[in-house]
Amino acid sequence: MYTESQHIEFKPGFNEDVIETLVAFANSKGGRVLVGVANDGAPVKGFTIGQESIQQWLNEIKMKTQPAIVPDAEVIEYEGVAVVELKVQEYPIKPVACRGKYYKRVQNSNHMLSISEMVNLHLQTLNTSWDAYPDPDPTHTLEDISWHKVQKAMDMMKLNGITINETALQFLLKYNLIRDDKLTSAAYLMFKKHDGIDSTIELGRFQNFITIKDTARTQSDILSEIDHVIDFVKKHINKEIIITGEPRNTQKWQYPMEAIREIVINMIIHRDYSAMPDSVVKIYNDKIEFYNPGKLPDEITIEDLLSNNYKSTPRNKLIADFFKHLGLIEKYGSGIGRIINYFEAENLPAPEFKNISGGFQVTVFAPAEEEEDTKESTDVVEKDTKVGEKVESVVENEKSVVEKVGEKVANVVENEKRVGEKVANVVENEKRVGEKVANVVENEKRVGEKVTNVVENEKKVGEKVANVVENEKRVGEKITNVVEKGKRVGEKVGEKRKKVGENSTKNQNLILKNIIKNHNISSKELSAIIGISARKIEKNIAKLKAKGVLERIGPDKGGYWKVLSQ
C-alpha cells in the first residue's frame, strides 16, 4: 500500500483539489495523484470510471491551469481495484496557477505561495534572483553609490588574482551590477553612498532577556556591515591572552571568530531584503543569536542542512557570486559545515539552526564555565553601600555574596574560626578592625596583603566595621545572622533567575489589545485608534512578528491576525 508523500496524493474522486495538487507538483519536483483512493490509502468502494471521464478531467485541468498543463492519465490496478493515475512532471516555466492561485508541494501537503515566494520561484526558473534586477526604488541612480567603495572592491579582487583592466563603470557592467542602464539591487546594497533602512541590522548586548546593556545599529552598505557586526560582537565577548613564551602571545576569543565571521557573511548574503523585518544580533552572557528575515527554502530541512544533504540555492545569487569573487566565501553550501567544524574544534556546544518568525536564526553557545554571574543587590551588611558590586570582584564561580565574604574574612583571621566569632572578638575587645587585621598580618605573614585590597577599596576596614557596629548593634550578631541567612543563598539566587520574555512597547501593547478584540482589524483602523501613523503601525507589527508574538494567517486581504503570546 502506498502512503501520501511529497510525490503521491490520494483523492476519492475528481474535483478541483486534484487540479490544485497537480499544480503543486508542477511547481515542485513532479508527482502523481491516484483518483479513486481514500485518504487512508484504501481503494474507494464503488468507484467507477466512465468512458469519457478521463478526457473530461484532462480538458478541465487544461482549462483551469495557467500555463496550461496536461498530465499523463492511465488506469491502473490498485489493490485489485481500477483507479486513475494522473501524473505530471516538474514544469520548466514556473509558477503554474490553478484559477489564479499558486501552490507548491511541501512534504505531503499543498502550500499556497505568497507573492514573494511566487516571485522567487519565477526568478529561479530564469536562473536569476531578486537582487539581479533594477533597484525597486526608482529614485536611486549612479549618484547614490560610492565609487570609492567600488574601487575598493576592485582592489580586493586584484589581491585574489583576478585581472581587472576596466574602469569602475565598466567593472559594474561586466559583473551585471548595472542592468538596462539602472543600478541592480545588488549594486545599490553593496556600494550605496549613504546609510538606509533597506539594510538595517540591529545589534544588542543583553544582561538578560529584558535588560539591554548596549545597543547599536548599522545601515551601511552590506560589505561594510560585515566588519560593523563583527566589531560589535568582539566588543561584548571575552578574550583570553595566552602566554606562550613566544615574542607574541596568543589571543583566544570566547567564540571561534572564523565561525562568527562565516555566520555574519551568510546572514548578509541570504537575507530577504524585500521583507520588512530587520536582521538582529543579540549577545547574551552565554550565547549569541543571529536572526535574518527569510527562512530556508521549503525543500531544505534543518536535518538536510546539518548533514550537508542539499543543493545550495542562494536567495541573492548576484550578491553571493560577487562575495565569492571578493574571496569572502569559498563556495555555495559549504558555510554551515565549516561553522560546525569550528565549534567542534574548540570543544564548544554545537550551534543551533532553526526557522523562526518567517526567518532563519543561528544560535551559538559559550562554554558553560564562562557564563557571567548575575549581580544580586543587597544591603544586609551595610545599608549605604552596594555590597553586590563590591563583592563581585571577589566572588568566583557562582559563590554567594555572604559565603564569599565569610571565606574572605576567615582567610584574613583564622582558618578555622567563623566570621561571626572573629568580629565578636573585635567588638568584645573594643579594638578597631584595622588594628585587629594588623595583628593578624603580623601573625599570618601575607594576610596583610589580602586585607590591603579591601582597605584600599573601602578605606579602612576598621571604619567600615565601626559603621556596621553603630548601625546594626553588635557586628558579631550582624555577621552571624548573615551567615545563617546565607547558607543556601545559591539556591535562592537560582530560583530568582527566570527567563523573562521581551517587553513590548506601549504602542505594541495597544496594537495587541486591539487585535485581540478584533482579529480582522486593519492598519488604518489601528492608526486611528492608537493615534500614530500607519507607517509606525506597520513597523511595530513587523517587530511583534519578529518577536514571535504576532502572526498573520492568510493574505493581507481576507486573512486575519493571530496573537501567539504576550
Side-chain angles (χ1 to χ4, degrees):
M1 180 184 292
Y2 294 116
T3 58
E4 290 187 324
S5 67
Q6 189 168 355
H7 303 287
I8 297 177
E9 177 85 358
F10 300 143
K11 294 296 179 185
F14 182 84
N15 53 29
E16 195 159 302
D17 289 344
V18 173
I19 304 177
E20 291 177 357
T21 300
L22 290 170
V23 165
F25 285 144
N27 286 329
S28 304
K29 299 296 182 182
R32 54 184 177 149
V33 179
L34 299 183
V35 182
V37 181
N39 292 334
D40 60 2
V44 177
K45 295 181 180 179
F47 177 76
T48 58
I49 306 169
Q51 292 183 350
E52 298 182 357
S53 296
I54 296 178
Q55 187 59 47
Q56 291 175 350
W57 295 352
L58 294 177
N59 288 336
E60 185 175 349
I61 293 169
K62 182 178 179 180
M63 293 293 294
K64 291 184 177 180
T65 56
Q66 182 63 36
I69 58 173
V70 180
D72 295 329
E74 182 180 359
V75 178
I76 65 172
E77 183 176 310
Y78 179 80
E79 297 192 4
V81 177
V83 300
V84 177
E85 178 188 71
L86 299 175
K87 188 175 182 180
V88 67
Q89 302 293 326
E90 180 179 1
Y91 203 76
I93 305 297
K94 303 182 186 69
V96 179
C98 172
R99 297 175 67 88
K101 296 181 179 179
Y102 299 84
Y103 301 89
K104 186 176 182 180
R105 191 70 173 179
V106 180
Q107 296 181 355
N108 63 346
S109 62
N110 301 329
H111 168 70
M112 183 179 288
L113 297 175
S114 65
I115 294 176
S116 63
E117 288 175 322
M118 287 188 287
V119 172
N120 287 333
L121 187 60
H122 180 65
L123 292 175
Q124 289 173 12
T125 300
L126 302 178
N127 195 29
T128 185
S129 56
W130 171 87
D131 63 325
Y133 282 80
D135 184 79
D137 189 336
T139 65
H140 291 160
T141 67
L142 290 175
E143 296 297 322
D144 293 300
I145 65 172
S146 167
W147 295 102
H148 171 73
K149 293 178 180 179
V150 175
Q151 185 61 52
K152 184 178 178 181
M154 295 169 65
D155 293 339
M156 288 179 65
M157 284 192 181
K158 290 177 181 179
L159 292 176
N160 289 330
I162 299 176
T163 301
I164 299 176
N165 298 317
E166 301 84 7
T167 65
L169 180 59
Q170 291 171 337
F171 172 79
L172 295 180
L173 290 167
K174 176 182 178 180
Y175 285 93
N176 299 314
L177 294 171
I178 294 178
R179 182 169 180 169
D180 298 331
D181 296 326
K182 295 180 180 179
L183 284 174
T184 62
S185 294
Y188 176 73
L189 289 170
M190 290 192 292
F191 305 120
K192 63 180 180 176
K193 185 183 298 182
H194 305 293
D195 289 358
I197 61 173
D198 38 27
S199 61
T200 301
I201 301 177
E202 296 288 353
L203 308 168
R205 171 64 173 97
F206 290 74
Q207 178 65 32
N208 49 50
F209 290 105
I210 60 173
T211 305
I212 303 176
K213 297 177 66 176
D214 187 22
T215 61
R217 170 185 293 164
T218 176
Q219 296 180 325
S220 181
D221 64 272
I222 60 177
L223 288 169
S224 299
E225 284 186 333
I226 298 173
D227 290 332
H228 294 170
V229 175
I230 292 175
D231 288 345
F232 186 84
V233 172
K234 285 183 175 180
K235 177 182 176 183
H236 292 291
I237 64 175
N238 298 331
K239 180 174 68 173
E240 179 183 1
I241 305 298
I242 302 175
I243 300 175
T244 62
E246 299 295 328
R248 289 187 178 182
N249 297 326
T250 301
Q251 296 182 355
K252 182 178 181 182
W253 292 94
Q254 188 177 8
Y255 301 88
M257 292 312 300
E258 298 90 343
I260 298 300
R261 185 174 182 84
E262 192 79 38
I263 292 170
V264 172
I265 292 175
N266 274 276
M267 180 177 73
I268 289 173
I269 289 177
H270 295 290
R271 173 175 174 173
D272 183 357
Y273 288 96
S274 64
M276 183 178 297
D278 300 327
S279 295
V280 181
V281 177
K282 294 182 178 180
I283 304 174
Y284 296 92
N285 293 340
D286 58 346
K287 64 181 180 179
I288 307 177
E289 294 176 352
F290 300 86
Y291 170 79
N292 217 27
K295 62 181 183 179
L296 285 175
D298 292 323
E299 62 271 16
I300 300 178
T301 66
I302 298 297
E303 290 72 21
D304 293 334
L305 203 66
L306 297 176
S307 62
N308 200 30
N309 183 29
Y310 68 98
K311 180 181 178 181
S312 177
T313 53
R315 177 174 281 108
N316 303 297
K317 294 183 66 175
L318 195 57
I319 292 175
D321 189 60
F322 198 81
F323 272 49
K324 186 174 184 295
H325 286 302
L326 291 174
L328 295 174
I329 60 174
E330 293 184 9
K331 60 180 180 178
Y332 301 149
S334 63
I336 298 299
R338 287 199 301 274
I339 292 168
I340 294 173
N341 290 338
Y342 286 134
F343 276 84
E344 285 182 352
E346 297 292 337
N347 294 319
L348 293 174
E352 178 183 80
F353 306 90
K354 63 180 178 180
N355 287 315
I356 181 173
S357 301
F360 186 71
Q361 180 171 289
V362 179
T363 304
V364 297
F365 303 93
E369 65 271 18
E370 293 188 11
E371 297 179 8
E372 295 181 4
D373 296 332
T374 301
K375 292 182 179 179
E376 296 292 332
S377 297
T378 177
D379 58 356
V380 177
V381 177
E382 186 176 2
K383 291 183 178 179
D384 297 329
T385 17
K386 295 180 180 178
V387 176
E389 295 179 0
K390 298 174 184 177
V391 178
E392 185 183 16
S393 62
V394 181
V395 176
E396 297 175 0
N397 301 325
E398 302 290 338
K399 290 186 177 180
S400 68
V401 173
V402 176
E403 291 173 338
K404 189 61 184 179
V405 171
E407 292 173 8
K408 195 69 178 179
V409 176
N411 290 333
V412 172
V413 288
E414 297 177 5
N415 292 330
E416 303 298 329
K417 289 188 178 182
R418 296 169 61 90
V419 174
E421 295 173 348
K422 184 62 185 177
V423 179
N425 289 334
V426 174
V427 175
E428 291 170 3
N429 296 327
E430 297 182 346
K431 294 182 179 181
R432 293 171 64 86
V433 171
E435 296 173 352
K436 186 64 181 179
V437 174
N439 291 333
V440 173
V441 170
E442 293 175 0
N443 296 328
E444 300 296 334
K445 294 182 179 180
R446 297 187 62 85
V447 175
E449 295 177 359
K450 300 176 183 177
V451 177
T452 299
N453 292 332
V454 178
V455 173
E456 290 176 353
N457 293 329
E458 301 299 330
K459 297 181 180 179
K460 296 181 65 178
V461 174
E463 293 176 2
K464 177 178 161 185
V465 175
N467 289 333
V468 174
V469 173
E470 292 174 6
N471 294 328
E472 303 294 337
K473 297 181 181 179
R474 296 181 64 197
V475 175
E477 295 175 358
K478 179 66 180 179
I479 300 302
T480 299
N481 290 335
V482 171
V483 173
E484 292 176 353
K485 292 179 181 178
K487 286 183 178 178
R488 299 196 60 85
V489 171
E491 296 178 1
K492 294 180 181 179
V493 173
E495 293 173 357
K496 291 180 182 179
R497 293 176 180 169
K498 297 180 180 177
K499 294 183 178 179
V500 181
E502 298 182 357
N503 291 333
S504 299
T505 66
K506 179 180 178 181
N507 287 336
Q508 290 170 11
N509 285 330
L510 289 174
I511 290 172
L512 290 174
K513 288 180 181 178
N514 282 280
I515 286 177
I516 290 172
K517 292 179 181 178
N518 179 7
H519 290 283
N520 297 312
I521 194 168
S522 67
S523 298
K524 184 176 180 181
E525 292 170 330
L526 286 170
S527 175
I529 294 172
I530 298 174
I532 61 176
S533 67
R535 180 178 178 84
K536 290 184 178 179
I537 290 292
E538 294 294 338
K539 189 70 175 180
N540 279 297
I541 286 177
K543 291 181 179 179
L544 288 170
K545 290 168 72 178
K547 296 175 182 177
V549 175
L550 187 63
E551 180 181 0
R552 182 69 180 180
I553 306 299
D556 290 343
K557 292 185 179 180
Y560 62 92
W561 293 108
K562 181 178 180 182
V563 178
L564 304 178
S565 64
Q566 286 187 263

